[in-house]
Amino acid sequence: MKWLLGLVLLTSTAQAFAQSSEWRITRPQWTEQDERNFGDFIARIGAAVERRECEMVDGCLRSGANPYAGTDPASLRLYADCADLPYYLRSYFAWKNGLPMSVESSISARKVEGNTGDVRYTPFGNYVTGRYDILSRSSAGRSAWEEFFGWGDVFKTKYPNAVSLLNSTITDLTYTASFRMMGDVDGTLFTDFYPVRLDRNGIRPGTVIYDPNGHVAVVYKVTDDGHIYYIDSHPDNTLTSGMYNSKFMRSNPFQGAGFKNFRPLALVGAKVDSNGAYVGGKIVGAKNNQLANYSLEQYYGTQPDPAGDWKAGQFLINGKPIPYYDYVRVKMASGTLRIDPLQEMRANLADICTNLKDRVVAVNTALKSGVQNKEHPLRLPKNIFGTDGEWENYASPSRDARLKVAYIEILTESQNLINRYKVGDPTVVYSGRNLPGDMLAIYQNESRACQFSYTNSSGRPVTLDLDQLRLRLWNLSFDPYHCAELRWGASDPQELASCPDNANKRAWYAQERWLRYQSERRYDVRMDYSLEELTGPKEGVGIEYPPNIDIVKYLSTVKM
């Protein structure tokens, strides 16, 4: 009877361990092969998002894109917003592979004059004041049934609970302030990330991109022609993909904007228990001089300014200075970069089309919540780009700002490439007879091919294409309390007829136009205005007229 009871207990224990929440460190150090495997893991997730096989963090991690799908305990939440995503994916991978993990547990603003306010948006960045190591501990004693059978060690190992860590601890400790530092500190209170060299070794699947305006993304693909593609997540748990460009702005080095990799970790001073897992010890980060891809060049340039002005640093190719984003593109290309303006147009339009379809998902999520049926609050949030609650979950000012930048960039990049072609830039390759005309034809064809639909307030689909969206871009409401028609910028009376919004909501829509015209995301200004106060652009809040994005007019009229 005693052996039968033992067999039942062992069987149930084995079944439980198949989807165990225990985080057992069985490999004490991240190796270069682990980094490559982590990159492959990110690349698989990113490819699934790009193919639109999944569109939510939980859906992607439960899909075939995740090689560990089906091994998770049912209680694992699988949720990560933008700042959580890099940490969540890194921690998840570390858990599944028995690797160590440690995160910054407390952060303070650097102690320099004027560096005050919310640590997510400090002018001169932050520094680490505490760390949280995920470690196993030894404890005395045996369980009751081990005592009964005389099994087990006198000392038991208490393994960290990965579900608890991923569901709350890690995501509670990390936020965008965790990225707002240069990344050059490698002592006891080391930074989680280090800045990388701008080349295909430094920037790879798994590299993080930090936008100092409060957004974070993870690289999943770098193409031979130097384009960098990323995935990012949002408060509604959606996963989206995009192409790197100037929507990720540069800023002073202490804010840590740009590309960074996780600092490899090692567990030292630990002992091995009877299960082959490491117990105790402490986790240390790799030193900067041990990191082959460590570099500050993205902050100061390949030829830094002698006076230390980061803005005056130059990025040189063959001894000639070129703009930062062009430099990144050249360095990320496999071999000598040759830019085909027609292919560039296709790539940029594909990126915009992806963003538009992602916006459909986000707005639909908001509408399904019913937030648009509520009364409009008396004031806007303190800052529409950085807040919490319903606004954070369902508003789209940051998403819409990036979309605006993408439309602006279609025009500015077309102007740049045509001007470079005119002066005989050998990097720009085109063999036709009418470059603007050919670019316009591609724009029109790809725009018609990029169709998407939103569901209006009467439950009927309204179909738009990429160029139709351009014509209403500055009318798209980011405000979650507006009807579907206003969220999608309707102005035609027939399309607007199904919108149930009352006069108060329509007034908010009209007065928010100053904010809609602004493509720059500002987190350092107050925006909690009432309807009566929102009478026009304020300092740093809103602009009077929207930027020009008329790519059709430009390509139709430019002289060669």
Side-chain angles (χ1 to χ4, degrees), residues 297-554:
E297 66 176 352
Q298 63 182 306
Y299 300 142
Y300 297 105
T302 57
Q303 182 172 294
D305 175 56
D309 182 359
W310 69 272
K311 293 180 182 178
Q314 294 184 323
F315 294 88
L316 304 181
I317 294 291
N318 298 324
K320 296 181 180 180
I322 63 173
Y324 170 76
Y325 295 97
D326 291 347
Y327 178 85
V328 172
R329 180 76 185 280
V330 170
K331 296 296 288 185
M332 296 308 297
S334 180
T336 302
L337 177 63
R338 292 289 182 263
I339 300 177
D340 178 349
L342 306 185
Q343 185 56 37
E344 289 302 295
M345 178 65 79
R346 291 189 183 95
N348 285 321
L349 293 173
D351 183 49
I352 290 178
C353 190
T354 295
N355 290 335
L356 291 175
K357 292 177 179 179
D358 290 338
R359 190 180 191 273
V360 171
V361 175
V363 174
N364 284 348
T365 299
L367 296 172
K368 287 176 183 176
S369 77
V371 65
Q372 75 279 9
N373 299 321
K374 297 183 177 182
E375 290 297 318
H376 199 286
L378 296 177
R379 290 183 175 274
L380 293 176
K382 186 175 181 180
N383 187 286
I384 65 172
F385 298 107
T387 185
D388 52 25
E390 285 182 338
W391 191 276
E392 180 186 28
N393 291 335
Y394 302 125
S396 57
S398 294
R399 183 191 297 271
D400 291 354
R402 290 189 291 272
L403 185 61
K404 292 163 190 171
V405 170
Y407 271 99
I408 292 170
E409 188 147 305
I410 281 279
L411 176 58
T412 57
E413 184 166 317
S414 297
Q415 292 170 331
N416 176 45
L417 290 175
I418 288 174
N419 288 335
R420 288 165 63 181
Y421 177 73
K422 282 182 180 181
V423 300
D425 184 338
T427 305
V428 180
V429 179
Y430 170 70
S431 58
R433 296 183 177 182
N434 182 357
L435 179 56
D438 287 346
M439 292 175 74
L440 178 60
I442 288 173
Y443 176 84
Q444 292 172 331
N445 290 336
E446 296 296 322
S447 293
R448 286 191 292 267
C450 177
Q451 295 195 347
F452 58 95
S453 298
Y454 78 86
T455 303
N456 70 12
S457 301
S458 298
R460 295 186 177 89
V462 178
T463 300
L464 301 170
D465 66 29
L466 185 147
D467 191 59
Q468 289 174 322
L469 198 285
R470 175 183 67 84
L471 296 173
R472 58 171 69 191
L473 179 67
W474 306 110
N475 295 330
L476 299 181
S477 174
F478 52 74
D479 192 324
Y481 300 98
H482 285 145
C483 64
E485 292 81 357
L486 294 181
R487 292 299 301 270
W488 287 102
S491 58
D492 178 80
Q494 185 174 353
E495 186 180 350
L496 268 175
S498 53
C499 174
D501 285 4
N502 58 25
N504 177 260
K505 288 189 177 185
R506 302 279 180 132
W508 273 106
Y509 177 76
Q511 297 303 85
E512 287 172 349
R513 66 187 182 276
W514 324 109
L515 303 180
R516 292 197 298 272
Y517 294 166
Q518 180 173 314
S519 60
E520 180 188 11
R521 287 163 285 159
R522 292 287 300 271
Y523 293 83
D524 58 341
V525 292
R526 63 159 288 227
M527 299 179 178
D528 54 341
Y529 295 105
S530 68
L531 182 59
E532 292 72 25
E533 294 169 335
L534 198 61
T535 55
K538 311 287 184 183
E539 184 178 355
V541 182
I543 58 176
E544 191 168 359
Y545 301 105
N548 175 31
I549 56 170
D550 197 344
I551 181 66
V552 174
K553 180 179 179 180
Y554 170 73

Side-chain angles (χ1 to χ4, degrees), residues 132-144:
Y132 181 89
D133 292 349
I134 297 172
L135 298 172
S136 299
R137 303 292 183 189
S138 291
S139 60
R142 294 184 288 192
S143 67

Side-chain angles (χ1 to χ4, degrees), residues 27 57 77 95 144 168 254 336 431 457 515 522:
R27 298 163 56 222
V57 173
R77 190 172 169 217
W95 167 39
S168 58
F254 294 107
T336 302
S431 58
S457 301
L515 303 180
R522 292 287 300 271

Side-chain angles (χ1 to χ4, degrees), residues 37-46 60-72 89 92-93 96-97:
N37 292 344
F38 175 65
D40 292 342
F41 168 65
I42 298 296
R44 288 172 59 114
I45 300 295
C60 288
L61 289 178
R62 290 192 179 105
S63 75
N66 177 13
Y68 312 105
T71 66
D72 299 325
L89 295 177
Y92 181 89
F93 179 87
K96 296 297 182 180
N97 288 275

